Amino acid sequence: MDARILDQFRSIIGRGLITEPSQLHTYECDGLTNFRVMPQAVLLPSSTDQVQQIVRVCNREKIPFVARGSGTGLSGGALPAENGIVISLARMNRILEVDLPNARVVVEPGVINAEVTQRVAPHGYFYAPDPSSQSVCSIGGNVAENSGGAHCLKYGFTTTHVLALEVVLADGSLLHLGSRALDRPGYDLPGIFVGSEGTLGIATKIVLRIVKRPEVIQTLLAAFNSTNEAGAAVSEIIAAGMLPAAIEMMDNLSIQAAEASVHAGYPSCGGLLLVELDGPAAEVEHLIKEVGEICTQCGAWEIRVAQSEAERAVVWKGRKAAFAAMGRISPNYIVQDGVIPRTALPKVMSEIDRMSAAEGLRVANVFHAGEGNLHPHVLYDGSIPGQTERAMALSINIPRLCVKCERSVTGDHGVGEEKKMMMSEMFAEPDLETMQLVRCAFDPQHLSNPGKIFPRTRLCAERTGPYQPHALEVAGVAQFF
Ligand SMILES: Cc1cc2nc3c(=O)[nH]c(=O)nc-3n(C[C@H](O)[C@H](O)[C@H](O)COP(=O)(O)OP(=O)(O)OC[C@H]3O[C@@H](n4cnc5c(N)ncnc54)[C@H](O)[C@@H]3O)c2cc1C
């Protein structure tokens, strides 16, 4: 990078500037390691003012920038832009305010998800969105990805819990979106920002809603011979009018991986359900029996209810470690993410089995079963010629399958770099066009995380209006993404 520009960055941030190639390697990818780009520099600001100054230089010099939290994203969202810089928010990691009477917490973006609950738990509160990566991922990353977790079935995704945001736009100006009130006049701009994957600007302060801990929490484990039987139980539980805090499912390969890693004591079975109920004691006691009966009717041959907080913690440790634990049973793996209707589970599982057999690769399945959010893990050995390519081909066909089932290419991991080409399979041209216009309103020069989410760049000066197909497309020679 031009020494003149580096000097400008250095004068803003001093020692928080990284340019050493050996150190830059840390930032060349996120949790999706198949995509790598070396950034020109990494900057670690410790205040909103520094973020603004850095972004102003980028704006003046036309340098693309990518915000980065903890780098645990699984869709390449924090992948650096070619010839761009990375702005890491890791040093902006303070909890600024805890307002218990109003159940609000104000944080900087680098605060780790689990730290919010740790701070408010002694007062009987928790922060509900709980991605399995919650011990390391940042609130800024959660906001950008609209992250979810096991307990989002009942409590909602990140977007339900973000009330207001302070945002640095790509020209360096400061914007305040939303308010501490639950309803506010005007457009739902925090709703637009949450899930925008760093393409609308950088969140530098976030007002979160926290939730009172319920009187009782009970967790039930049910072992089935297959994921189809377990899936039928999920449909029956929901059909009975219950809204459990969480319904998670693991197949046999995932159980093997979790057991090898954390020894959660799971039964060895084809499909394992974890159902958590919370609320007033009398209600939970009644409903947990009903859930047990439904599971038995659907073929469960072992039902266990965690008898203590410690037992409950171990049950969840196994589930939350499942992603990382895949390394115990396979040298390499790709985590996929897609949403299907719960009722399509048998059909989709047998199709994934067919694709897995055709490629000769194993697929382990962990689901947020209540939401129909699949997380298939394609297992492979990158040292065997051809396996990486086969794994990538198999992996990308899974979200394609989800679109065919009229749901989504992503549940909670985002589009990022990985799935941008699939957006045109899911959305019609006017839908994508409207999203692009929103993007242009926030960042007309496309400097903030360029090249993500959308299959192609829209120039903000382009005329709006109905899409006119190119002659080659009409002739069936070319495809428009
Ligand atoms: C083992 C494992 C388990 C996981 N489990 C889950 C899960 O259960 N649910 C789930 O939803 N995800 C899960 N993930 C994915 C990942 O943890 C989440 O997407 C998380 O929200 C990313 O946070 P991060 O701080 O690591 O963000 P990063 O990976 O650093 O960045 C993610 C995106 O956010 C943008 N960004 C970061 N900070 C800001 C900011 N301040 N302002 C604007 N944009 C910003 C980046 O540009 C990028 O586009 C898992 C990942 C792993 C490795």
Side-chain angles (χ1 to χ4, degrees):
M1 174 165 270
D2 191 328
R4 179 183 56 86
I5 297 171
L6 284 179
D7 282 346
Q8 292 181 47
F9 285 146
R10 202 168 285 114
S11 72
I12 298 167
I13 208 163
R15 288 160 58 86
L17 173 69
I18 298 174
T19 52
E20 268 301 310
S22 60
Q23 292 177 305
L24 291 179
H25 275 302
T26 307
Y27 300 89
E28 68 182 354
C29 66
D30 61 6
L32 182 71
T33 53
N34 305 55
F35 296 92
R36 289 172 193 266
V37 173
M38 273 285 265
Q40 295 287 308
V42 174
L43 289 92
L44 291 115
S46 33
S47 69
T48 299
D49 181 57
Q50 287 186 348
V51 175
Q52 285 184 276
Q53 291 188 56
I54 294 165
V55 169
R56 278 190 199 117
V57 174
C58 292
N59 184 51
R60 205 165 47 236
E61 305 288 345
K62 306 285 171 277
I63 299 168
F65 60 87
V66 177
R68 183 179 171 107
S70 304
T72 66
L74 293 169
S75 57
L79 181 76
E82 292 287 345
N83 301 315
I85 62 159
V86 167
I87 301 177
S88 163
L89 285 309
R91 288 188 181 171
M92 292 178 65
N93 59 359
R94 291 172 305 156
I95 295 180
L96 300 170
E97 191 186 327
V98 177
D99 176 4
L100 291 175
N102 293 300
R104 308 277 185 265
V105 174
V106 184
V107 300
E108 290 185 322
V111 167
I112 300 303
N113 173 301
E115 286 173 4
V116 181
T117 292
Q118 277 159 21
R119 175 66 77 86
V120 297
H123 308 284
Y125 285 87
F126 68 108
Y127 176 60
D130 60 340
S132 302
S133 51
Q134 71 186 131
S135 58
V136 284
C137 66
S138 73
I139 294 292
N142 294 174
V143 166
E145 299 288 358
N146 188 19
S147 288
H151 293 84
C152 292
L153 174 64
K154 176 169 179 177
Y155 291 98
F157 281 60
T158 300
T159 191
T160 316
H161 302 271
V162 172
L163 292 168
L165 293 147
E166 177 187 87
V167 172
V168 174
L169 291 184
D171 63 0
S173 58
L174 197 63
L175 200 65
H176 292 92
L177 310 177
S179 81
R180 291 182 187 219
L182 275 180
D183 194 9
R184 58 229 155 191
Y187 295 125
D188 179 15
L189 293 181
I192 287 178
F193 192 89
V194 177
S196 61
E197 303 191 22
T199 59
L200 302 184
I202 301 183
T204 48
K205 206 183 279 179
I206 303 136
V207 181
L208 300 172
R209 198 164 66 90
I210 49 170
V211 183
K212 195 85 181 135
R213 194 181 149 88
E215 185 188 353
V216 167
I217 307 175
Q218 288 219 337
T219 309
L220 174 147
L221 275 181
F224 297 82
N225 284 330
S226 68
T227 51
N228 284 352
E229 284 182 1
V234 174
S235 294
E236 292 297 323
I237 291 167
I238 303 281
M242 283 180 244
L243 183 55
I247 311 183
E248 297 286 300
M249 198 195 299
M250 295 166 78
D251 73 357
N252 189 266
L253 267 178
S254 304
I255 295 168
Q256 283 178 37
E259 281 299 310
S261 172
V262 299
H263 314 293
Y266 292 153
S268 174
C269 61
L272 181 69
L273 268 196
L274 274 70
V275 184
E276 186 155 284
L277 291 158
D278 65 9
E283 180 186 310
V284 172
E285 266 166 39
H286 170 73
L287 291 180
I288 202 93
K289 282 199 196 104
E290 210 177 312
V291 168
E293 280 161 19
I294 290 173
C295 288
T296 307
Q297 280 157 20
C298 292
W301 45 263
E302 183 175 340
I303 307 245
R304 269 188 232 163
V305 177
Q307 296 301 316
S308 64
E309 193 54 33
E311 229 179 276
R312 230 190 103 233
V314 174
V315 166
W316 279 113
K317 195 171 173 195
R319 164 61 189 88
K320 298 216 169 191
F323 280 24
M326 292 299 164
R328 303 280 180 145
I329 59 167
S330 175
N332 304 94
Y333 58 91
I334 303 172
V335 187
Q336 257 308 343
D337 173 34
V339 184
I340 57 165
R342 280 188 299 268
T343 46
L345 189 68
K347 189 176 113 195
V348 170
M349 288 305 290
S350 55
E351 184 55 18
I352 293 177
D353 284 349
R354 191 198 61 72
M355 296 190 306
S356 137
E359 292 294 355
L361 297 173
R362 296 176 300 163
V363 178
N365 290 289
V366 187
F367 314 74
H368 299 305
E371 296 105 312
N373 185 186
L374 311 179
H375 288 313
H377 291 60
V378 179
L379 312 182
Y380 69 100
D381 183 345
S383 68
I384 299 175
Q387 277 216 359
T388 306
E389 293 71 20
R390 295 213 312 276
M392 286 174 82
L394 166 53
S395 153
I396 209 66
N397 277 327
I398 294 173
R400 196 158 271 145
L401 188 59
C402 298
V403 178
K404 283 196 190 127
C405 292
E406 296 182 356
R407 284 303 190 270
S408 174
V409 296
T410 168
D412 51 12
H413 293 175
V415 178
E417 177 69 21
E418 187 197 25
K419 293 199 190 136
K420 61 185 187 184
M421 297 312 275
M422 309 205 72
M423 289 289 272
S424 46
E425 295 186 25
M426 185 164 166
F427 292 103
E429 187 53 27
D431 306 341
L432 283 175
E433 172 79 359
T434 305
M435 289 187 219
Q436 293 258 29
L437 287 173
V438 171
R439 203 251 150 102
C440 287
F442 278 78
D443 176 18
Q445 301 198 71
H446 290 215
L447 290 176
S448 188
N449 210 1
K452 308 288 168 60
I453 303 183
F454 299 104
R456 75 208 137 79
T457 308
R458 182 192 193 287
L459 302 175
C460 295
E462 273 177 39
R463 200 165 47 87
T464 57
Y467 169 67
Q468 304 292 333
H470 190 277
L472 286 176
E473 198 193 345
V474 176
V477 177
Q479 191 182 355
F480 182 74
F481 287 101

